[in-house]
Amino acid sequence: IQGLPANPDIFHEVNLIIHLLNVILVFWFIFLLSEKKIEVAVIVSLLFGIHPMHVESVAWIAELKDCLYSFFFVLGLICYYKYIKDSKEGKDKMMFYFLAFLLFILSGLSKPAAVTFTLVLPLIDFYIKRKLDKWVFIDKIPFLLFSLILGILTIKAQQSEAIGKFEIYTIFQRIMLASYAMLTYLYKLFLPINLSALYPFSHLIGGHFPIIFYFTPFIALILFAIVFWSYKYTRLITFGFLFFLVNIILVLQLISVGISLV
């Protein structure tokens, strides 16, 4: 393409630089969220920085959008935390609120997947035991409105190409696909083997999936039950699991997006 450098190294270097900045931001965010437990922040940011399933995206030049939206996303979460936790009433508090909203917009303009930002905010409220009052709901309204606008624009832009193009499954089959995808993400988090550049949808053979797909909804239900049970003892597992689930909800293929299951 005329005007672009022929050497791809510069594109990889830009992705890598932004990724390293993201690792720093993740460290900072977890450091704040864990009440300044540095060992927790080190472990989480290290996992974020070097996990094969994540660096795969960083190494893919076209995923500059992923690195960029993550940068604004995590920085926005830090600002939101400062808004509800560290800052006193007044101009400083509102400054962090408006910064969080601005960073959310920038994240959404980088990649529409940032709409999950709005769902993460109440999770942070829940984890730090924010007092439940009218402001807990009111301060989410601008984020929700922008999420709706961004979602509508994204659907209109991609409905002829990526979204709904492979609508061939029933609702029950989609639940199986979503359960399988969620469990695959968790499995490969702890054991990142047999990775692939593409994880295509499973073919129906005689109208049926391979047998493993029929077990995954029950395994998912057991996992949900364990998370629910853990809430009696700690908020940490519930928060962590919901944070994970919220941020993959768009790619669980409850609605077909693209040709890849994972």
Side-chain angles (χ1 to χ4, degrees):
I1 301 174
Q2 188 175 6
L4 292 178
N7 190 338
D9 287 353
I10 188 171
F11 298 106
H12 288 295
E13 288 165 2
V14 168
N15 278 15
L16 181 59
I17 290 169
I18 299 174
H19 176 59
L20 292 174
L21 291 173
N22 288 342
V23 172
I24 295 171
L25 290 178
V26 168
F27 174 89
W28 186 11
F29 177 57
I30 299 300
F31 182 69
L32 294 173
L33 205 61
S34 65
E35 297 183 340
K36 301 183 178 180
K37 292 183 175 67
I38 193 168
E39 65 277 10
V40 175
V42 167
I43 292 170
V44 174
S45 58
L46 181 64
L47 183 64
F48 177 88
I50 68 172
H51 195 283
M53 284 193 77
H54 192 193
V55 299
E56 176 187 45
S57 183
V58 178
W60 182 19
I61 287 176
E63 280 295 83
L64 169 63
K65 59 187 179 183
D66 192 69
C67 298
L68 202 56
Y69 111 90
S70 299
F71 176 83
F72 295 123
F73 193 102
V74 181
L75 190 54
L77 294 181
I78 291 170
C79 288
Y80 181 77
Y81 179 91
K82 303 286 277 186
Y83 157 67
I84 60 175
K85 186 74 173 178
D86 286 357
S87 56
K88 298 179 181 179
E89 295 293 336
K91 292 182 179 179
D92 287 347
K93 187 177 184 71
M94 295 312 299
M95 178 191 71
F96 282 117
Y97 177 79
F98 287 118
L99 276 175
F101 184 60
L102 175 61
L103 288 163
F104 169 47
I105 292 174
L106 293 174
S107 183
L109 293 176
S110 301
K111 188 176 181 180
V115 294
T116 59
F117 188 94
T118 303
L119 300 177
V120 173
L121 301 186
L123 291 180
I124 297 176
D125 293 341
F126 159 78
Y127 184 66
I128 68 172
K129 301 179 181 180
R130 185 182 178 189
K131 181 182 177 182
L132 194 62
D133 57 24
K134 64 179 181 179
W135 292 107
V136 170
F137 302 98
I138 292 174
D139 62 19
K140 305 298 187 300
I141 293 174
F143 295 91
L144 181 60
L145 290 176
F146 182 73
S147 292
L148 291 173
I149 293 170
L150 186 62
I152 292 169
L153 291 175
T154 302
I155 290 172
K156 286 186 175 182
Q158 298 190 19
Q159 63 185 358
S160 62
E161 294 294 333
I163 297 177
K165 194 175 181 181
F166 302 92
E167 288 279 359
I168 58 173
Y169 303 110
T170 67
I171 183 63
F172 300 107
Q173 290 170 336
R174 291 203 170 278
I175 290 173
M176 286 190 283
L177 289 171
S179 300
Y180 179 86
M182 182 192 73
L183 294 172
T184 299
Y185 283 118
L186 285 171
Y187 158 65
K188 291 188 181 294
L189 167 65
F190 295 102
L191 196 62
I193 59 174
N194 299 323
L195 301 179
S196 173
L198 179 66
Y199 300 87
F201 281 83
S202 180
H203 293 292
L204 292 170
I205 302 175
H208 300 285
F209 284 127
I211 190 67
I212 184 62
F213 281 83
Y214 293 88
F215 288 102
T216 52
F218 299 102
I219 298 173
L221 282 175
I222 293 171
L223 180 60
F224 290 141
I226 292 172
V227 171
F228 180 76
W229 170 81
S230 72
Y231 178 63
K232 295 191 294 185
Y233 305 98
T234 176
R235 291 175 178 237
L236 180 61
I237 294 174
T238 305
F239 168 77
F241 179 77
L242 290 177
F243 190 99
F244 156 76
L245 187 61
V246 158
N247 281 292
I248 64 166
I249 194 72
L250 296 177
V251 292
L252 287 184
Q253 299 300 351
L254 292 169
I255 298 176
S256 293
V257 180
I259 61 173
S260 185
L261 178 57
V262 176

